[in-house]
């Protein structure tokens, strides 16, 4: 039986499941049922041997428990419409700190060491976990306690949150841990022990308000025996209700079998920030950036930004339309997370350019009520498409002069700092105009303004990409207020908006 919250009418679900099981029909409203699974509104779920995916996809199968590597009829791709990755790219970041900053949390790593995962993969997972701990704990100012649990048929606590080891000692202990396990994968038991044995004061768990509880679970997403699938779901719900965040790092099954729906049901929301794959080269860095941003010791930006910001978009033919579109999205993300106000807050303007300025809008604080959606709409309506081949020229020198002109008519620079954020490849064309670009950028910096560049990858090849970065972008941007690094970012960095918001917080905080 299924008992759900009011969002999914109980009678509807019971009737739909009854129709499904007794008639073999797939008419059950899958989206409503899965929404309940995601939100944790299911208090009691009885599943057959097909596991969570049998419910999500409406499949069933004959129970198999003895073969540790059975071929299941539910080992199929989950339809795209059932994935929990949000479609809205404009995620709110105002509760985040800068990615890579010192983090404060209590962290428990959970490694699936069952024989359904190749030993080499288990060792990779172990090393991934060790590297993560080394990076997190090794960040100056971090305040992190770490625990480590292994599970297969049972669980084994290697060390708990009260272990008094430094970062490298913790990492070395993890790297030297034996990851040989039995041929069962009792994730339900691991989740229960996570809640009842690891995140407890007696084992070193601290005040959750200051040190949130976070679990990173390495698993192939296949609880075995399959009769325990429903227990896995229920224990995951209990863990989340206890305030423990669940991150999943997917480790491939030794025969390439897909998970039984656990990858969709277990991670905390938003899914995109809590689900990772060990095969993805960038995910080791991505989880580090995500955790340090979400659990930054300094918390969210602690002051309102008072800046006059000009966004400049290069739309010349050396840039693909998809990159220009990504640039607009980044500008929208930044705008959405700023307090817009003509007195105590920021104002934003923007323009597009190629051989000349193409389109623009003047400074706005989201009048009349400071609503950033009004600025986001202006950015959406800004013309960022080319009309002719003549627009293959990139007059970045003209763009900088336009920026200087706009900033000359803004608010008092001593109170409201000038910020120029450029999107482009750094290839002023013709090249004999490049010195003018560099000179104009210096004028902004000399007047205590800040120049930030977000690189849009040129479609002209590696030589042009490097030329733009080395010979133009590096010569026009400001230095970071936190480090000696240049304020250069890349459009395909998933944390670029958060990083720039962190820079603005440090460089242009309100002094009113």
């Amino acid at each position: 039986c299924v008992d759900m919250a009011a969002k999914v009418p109980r009678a509807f679900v019971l009737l739909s499941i009854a129709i499904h099981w007794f008639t073999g029909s797939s008419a059950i409203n899958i989206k409503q049922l899965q929404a309940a699974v995601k939100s944790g509104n299911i208090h009691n779920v009885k599943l057959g041997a097909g596991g969570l995916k049998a419910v999500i996809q409406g499949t069933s199968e004959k129970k198999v428990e003895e073969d540790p590597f059975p071929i299941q009829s539910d080992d199929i791709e989950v339809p795209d419409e059932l994935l929990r990755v949000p479609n809205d790219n404009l995620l709110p970041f105002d509760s985040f700190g800068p990615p890579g900053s010192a983090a404060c949390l209590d962290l428990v790593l959970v490694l699936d060491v069952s024989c359904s995962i190749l030993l080499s993969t288990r060792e990779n997972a172990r090393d991934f976990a060790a590297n993560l701990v080394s990076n997190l704990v090794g960040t100056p100012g971090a305040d992190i306690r770490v625990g480590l649990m292994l599970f297969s048929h049972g669980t084994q606590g290697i060390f708990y949150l009260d272990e008094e080891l430094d970062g490298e000692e913790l990492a070395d202990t993890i790297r030297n841990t034996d990851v040989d396990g039995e041929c069962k994968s009792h994730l339900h038991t691991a989740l229960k022990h996570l809640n009842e044995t690891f995140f407890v004061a007696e084992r070193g768990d601290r005040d959750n308000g200051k040190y949130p509880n976070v679990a990173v679970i390495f698993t192939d997403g296949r609880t075995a025996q399959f009769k325990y699938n429903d227990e896995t779901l229920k224990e995951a719900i209990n863990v989340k209700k206890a305030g423990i965040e669940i991150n999943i790092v997917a480790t491939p099954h030794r025969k390439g079998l897909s998970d039984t729906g656990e990858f969709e049901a277990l991670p905390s929301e938003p899914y995109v920030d809590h689900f990772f794959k060990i095969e993805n080269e960038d995910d080791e860095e991505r989880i580090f950036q995500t955790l340090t941003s979400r659990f930054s010791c300094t918390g969210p930006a602690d002051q309102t930004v008072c800046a006059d910001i000009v966004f400049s978009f290069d739309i010349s033919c050396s840039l693909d339309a998809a990159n220009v579109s990504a640039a607009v999205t980044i500008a929208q993300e930044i705008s959405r997370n700023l307090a817009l106000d003509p007195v105590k807050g920021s104002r934003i303007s923007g323009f597009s350019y190629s051989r000349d300025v193409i389109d623009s809008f003047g400074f706005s604080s989201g009048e009349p009520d400071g609503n950033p959606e009004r600025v986001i709409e202006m950015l959406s309506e800004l013309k960022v498409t080319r009309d002719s081949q003549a627009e293959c020229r990139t007059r970045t020198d003209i763009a900088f002069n336009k920026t200087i002109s706009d900033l000359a008519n803004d608010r008092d620079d001593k109170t409201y700092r000038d910020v120029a954020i450029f999107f482009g490849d750094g290839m002023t064309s013709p090249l004999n105009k490049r010195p003018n670009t560099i000179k104009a950028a210096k004028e902004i910096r000399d007047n205590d303004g800040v120049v930030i560049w977000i690189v849009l990858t040129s479609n002209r090849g590696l030589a042009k990409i490097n030329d733009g970065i080395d010979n133009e972008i590096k010569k026009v941007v400001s230095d970071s207020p936190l480090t000696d690094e240049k304020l250069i970012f890349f459009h395909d960095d998933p944390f670029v908006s958060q990083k720039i918001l962190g820079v603005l917080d440090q460089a242009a905080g309100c002094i009113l």
Side-chain angles (χ1 to χ4, degrees):
C1 67
V2 180
D3 180 15
M4 296 187 178
K7 286 185 179 179
V8 185
R10 190 172 187 274
F12 166 81
V13 176
L14 291 173
L15 178 60
S16 298
I17 293 177
I19 292 172
H20 174 71
W21 289 115
F22 288 104
T23 69
S25 168
S26 59
I28 183 171
N29 190 323
I30 300 300
K31 289 187 177 180
Q32 281 190 277
L33 182 56
Q34 193 191 27
V37 173
K38 295 178 196 174
S39 64
N41 286 330
I42 295 180
H43 303 298
N44 186 26
V45 180
K46 296 297 183 183
L47 305 181
L52 303 178
K53 195 173 291 183
V55 170
I56 294 172
Q57 296 181 305
T59 62
S60 62
E61 61 183 284
K62 186 176 180 180
K63 186 189 302 184
V64 179
E65 294 184 5
E66 298 306 319
D67 183 355
F69 315 120
I71 302 297
Q72 301 293 333
S73 62
D74 65 349
D75 289 318
I76 58 178
E77 292 295 323
V78 179
D80 290 341
E81 63 268 20
L82 296 186
L83 293 178
R84 298 192 294 176
V85 180
N87 292 323
D88 185 1
N89 288 324
L90 301 178
L91 298 175
F93 298 131
D94 51 4
S95 62
F96 291 1
S101 60
C104 289
L105 68 150
D106 288 336
L107 172 69
V108 175
L109 304 162
V110 183
L111 300 181
D112 183 345
V113 295
S114 61
C115 66
S116 63
I117 302 170
L118 289 172
L119 178 59
S120 58
T121 304
R122 284 175 259 154
E123 291 171 343
N124 288 341
R126 178 188 63 193
D127 294 342
F128 184 118
N131 293 340
L132 176 62
V133 167
S134 178
N135 291 332
L136 286 172
V137 180
T139 301
D143 190 353
I144 302 173
R145 292 184 179 181
V146 182
L148 176 64
M149 182 202 316
L150 310 182
F151 76 95
S152 55
H153 187 271
T155 64
Q156 180 183 3
I158 303 301
F159 55 84
Y160 295 83
L161 297 172
D162 55 1
E163 193 72 46
E164 295 183 359
L165 298 174
D166 64 27
E168 281 311 307
E169 289 172 331
L170 287 168
D172 288 343
T173 301
I174 296 170
R175 291 190 184 97
N176 293 323
T177 297
D178 184 3
V179 289
D180 192 20
E182 300 177 87
C183 286
K184 301 293 181 186
S185 182
H186 286 188
L187 179 53
H188 61 293
T189 303
L191 289 168
K192 183 178 179 66
H193 287 181
L194 188 68
N195 196 12
E196 298 179 358
T197 307
F198 275 81
F199 286 115
V200 293
E202 295 79 7
R203 291 289 194 176
D205 186 32
R206 297 172 291 179
D207 178 4
N208 293 352
K210 296 180 179 178
Y211 304 97
N213 290 338
V214 179
V216 177
I217 302 174
F218 297 78
T219 178
D220 62 2
R222 296 178 63 87
T223 295
Q225 304 97 314
F226 294 110
K227 66 183 179 182
Y228 294 124
N229 279 147
D230 59 326
E231 294 296 324
T232 294
L233 175 58
K234 287 191 290 186
E235 292 299 339
I237 291 173
N238 290 336
V239 165
K240 291 176 184 178
K241 285 182 178 179
I244 302 168
E245 178 184 282
I246 297 179
N247 297 272
I248 296 293
V249 181
T251 53
H253 186 276
R254 69 185 304 148
K255 288 190 175 181
L257 303 183
S258 64
D259 71 291
T260 55
E262 294 174 4
F263 290 164
E264 287 82 25
L266 299 187
S268 296
E269 295 283 3
Y271 180 89
V272 69
D273 290 335
H274 296 83
F275 181 75
F276 308 87
K277 293 184 178 181
I278 199 169
E279 316 100 291
N280 290 354
E281 293 181 359
D282 297 335
D283 273 8
E284 187 173 315
E285 175 66 15
R286 187 166 73 89
I287 192 171
F288 168 75
Q289 297 278 7
T290 299
L291 292 177
T292 53
S293 174
R294 197 156 57 245
F295 303 108
S296 171
C297 295
T298 58
D302 56 6
Q303 57 187 353
T304 303
V305 172
C306 283
D308 290 323
I309 301 170
V310 180
F311 289 116
S312 308
F313 302 92
D314 176 0
I315 63 170
S316 60
C317 62
S318 63
L319 299 171
D320 293 337
N323 289 350
V324 176
S325 177
V328 173
T329 297
I330 292 166
Q332 290 174 322
E333 289 175 340
I334 294 169
S335 301
R336 173 167 284 178
N337 288 279
L338 289 172
L340 303 183
D341 189 90
V343 177
K344 188 175 175 63
S346 295
R347 298 194 308 165
I348 294 172
S349 69
F351 66 91
S352 57
Y353 70 95
S354 56
R355 57 184 171 82
D356 203 342
V357 175
I358 303 299
D359 192 17
S360 66
F361 64 88
F363 280 110
S364 172
S365 297
E367 288 82 1
D369 55 358
N371 187 346
E373 295 300 326
R374 304 186 196 284
V375 173
I376 289 169
E377 183 177 358
M378 293 180 192
L379 286 163
S380 296
E381 295 175 350
L382 189 68
K383 181 176 174 56
V384 291
T385 55
R386 296 181 294 272
D387 289 330
S388 68
Q389 194 66 17
E391 293 178 9
C392 279
R393 292 292 188 185
T394 308
R395 292 299 301 273
T396 313
D397 57 319
I398 292 177
F400 266 102
N401 287 332
K402 161 71 172 169
T403 302
I404 291 171
S405 176
D406 288 349
L407 292 173
N409 298 306
D410 64 354
R411 299 172 293 180
D412 177 22
D413 292 346
K414 293 181 179 179
T415 306
Y416 306 98
R417 196 162 192 183
D418 291 342
V419 178
I421 301 180
F422 273 75
F423 296 86
D425 58 6
M427 290 298 297
T428 296
S429 176
L431 276 177
N432 63 7
K433 300 296 184 182
R434 178 175 274 174
N436 296 344
T437 296
I438 296 171
K439 180 180 178 181
K442 184 176 184 298
E443 182 177 337
I444 296 175
R445 299 195 313 272
D446 286 348
N447 287 322
D448 203 31
V450 178
V451 179
I452 299 171
W453 197 291
I454 301 172
V455 179
L456 304 183
T457 307
S458 171
N459 56 25
R460 297 295 195 255
L462 183 60
K464 294 290 186 183
I465 293 172
N466 291 335
D467 182 19
I469 294 174
D470 293 337
N471 298 318
E472 185 166 318
I473 296 175
K474 288 182 179 179
K475 296 181 179 181
V476 303
V477 298
S478 303
D479 294 329
S480 168
L482 300 174
T483 68
D484 293 330
E485 296 179 355
K486 298 290 185 180
L487 291 178
I488 300 173
F489 304 90
F490 295 84
H491 79 278
D492 54 356
D493 178 352
F495 300 96
V496 62
S497 301
Q498 293 140 285
K499 290 177 179 178
I500 290 174
L501 286 165
V503 169
L504 293 176
D505 182 51
Q506 295 293 324
C510 293
I511 59 175
L512 296 173

